[in-house]
Amino acid sequence: IKDEHSVELAAMWDKDYLYVAAKWNSPRAMFSMADPKVNPGDGWKSDALQLRIRSADQVSWLTTWYFSGRNAPALDLIKWKTMNAPEIGYEKVFEGKDGSSDLGDGFALAYKANDSGKGFVQELRIPWQALFKQQPALDTSLKLKMGIEALWGDPTGKGFPSHRYADNVQKGVPTREFFWEAKDVWGDLALLSMGGIAQRLYVPDIEKIQGTA
């Protein structure tokens, strides 16, 4: 399943932006028929990356996908009305124009398909000011929460996802049910002063019979 339904993520930051990159393995490259101008609420259904971010004073959902109908990157930004319940207080939909990765309001989103046509890379730029009501000073003392959901579409690009994976959860809280609203489950997002962080490993990259040493 790893060869067709897996994704590697990395992030970095500076004083203005949070950057997220994702390297996808997928049966189809960047295929979604969710039109951001017509049905942005369906953007999550096909080859979509969803970020659930909780800052000190705001909870935000960001759904990103590549709309095949116009060959354009798309982003749906939703902010909760309060910190406690998933009631929408603000929503704005962005779409890149004429092949540009610039979405407006400081956001940028770019995609590139693998040469094989199976899988792709995406890069997302998020302005810090979009994640706070009152943006604090940005330094290594700042702590946020971020949950990640990756969703792979069906062959039509508009049906329900054929595969989903949620990650970055709190230690000792492995549940991924109702992940979109489980703000206390989302894992830590720490701002570090340097890179070179060891990649988290879940399954050894070797073939073996489950349950054996």
Side-chain angles (χ1 to χ4, degrees):
I1 195 170
K2 185 177 73 173
D3 292 338
E4 291 193 341
H5 296 93
S6 62
V7 58
E8 295 180 35
L9 268 81
M12 64 182 188
W13 67 283
D14 61 24
K15 65 182 181 63
D16 297 311
Y17 302 102
L18 171 65
Y19 305 89
V20 178
K23 181 180 179 182
W24 293 71
N25 287 321
S26 175
R28 292 161 291 278
M30 301 147 41
F31 184 64
S32 172
M33 295 308 296
D35 189 334
K37 292 183 177 179
V38 179
N39 55 335
D42 286 347
W44 62 277
K45 290 184 177 180
S46 185
D47 287 357
L49 180 67
Q50 293 188 298
L51 304 179
R52 317 292 190 184
I53 301 178
R54 186 178 71 173
S55 67
D57 62 0
Q58 183 175 291
V59 180
S60 305
W61 293 333
L62 297 93
T63 301
T64 62
W65 72 101
Y66 188 85
F67 176 46
S68 304
R70 284 189 292 274
N71 293 320
L75 183 150
D76 185 13
L77 170 65
I78 290 176
K79 301 178 183 181
W80 288 16
K81 181 177 289 187
T82 71
M83 294 290 292
N84 301 314
E87 181 180 359
I88 297 175
Y90 171 92
E91 182 173 10
K92 186 171 183 179
V93 180
F94 301 85
E95 180 183 344
K97 302 294 192 298
D98 301 321
S100 174
S101 61
D102 185 15
L103 301 181
D105 291 1
F107 288 95
L109 178 61
Y111 288 84
K112 184 177 181 180
N114 295 348
D115 292 339
S116 66
K118 293 186 176 182
F120 56 95
V121 173
Q122 75 171 99
E123 296 180 349
L124 171 63
R125 185 184 72 196
I126 305 168
W128 285 116
Q129 62 184 9
L131 303 178
F132 297 90
K133 292 179 180 178
Q134 297 291 329
Q135 182 177 325
L138 292 169
D139 56 39
T140 54
S141 67
L142 186 65
K143 299 292 188 295
L144 301 91
K145 307 296 182 185
M146 183 169 76
I148 302 163
E149 288 191 82
L151 300 110
W152 288 259
D154 72 359
T156 70
K158 56 186 178 181
F160 280 93
S162 61
H163 189 75
R164 165 191 172 270
Y165 189 75
D167 198 11
N168 201 35
V169 297
Q170 291 294 322
K171 291 183 179 180
V173 188
T175 180
R176 289 167 170 81
E177 296 179 357
F178 303 104
F179 194 71
W180 55 283
E181 65 177 2
K183 58 183 177 60
D184 296 323
V185 175
W186 305 338
D188 294 335
L189 175 63
L191 305 188
L192 304 180
S193 59
M194 57 173 29
I197 306 304
Q199 182 179 358
R200 181 186 295 179
L201 297 177
Y202 294 93
V203 180
D205 194 17
I206 57 175
E207 294 185 0
K208 67 174 185 178
I209 299 174
Q210 187 173 3
T212 63

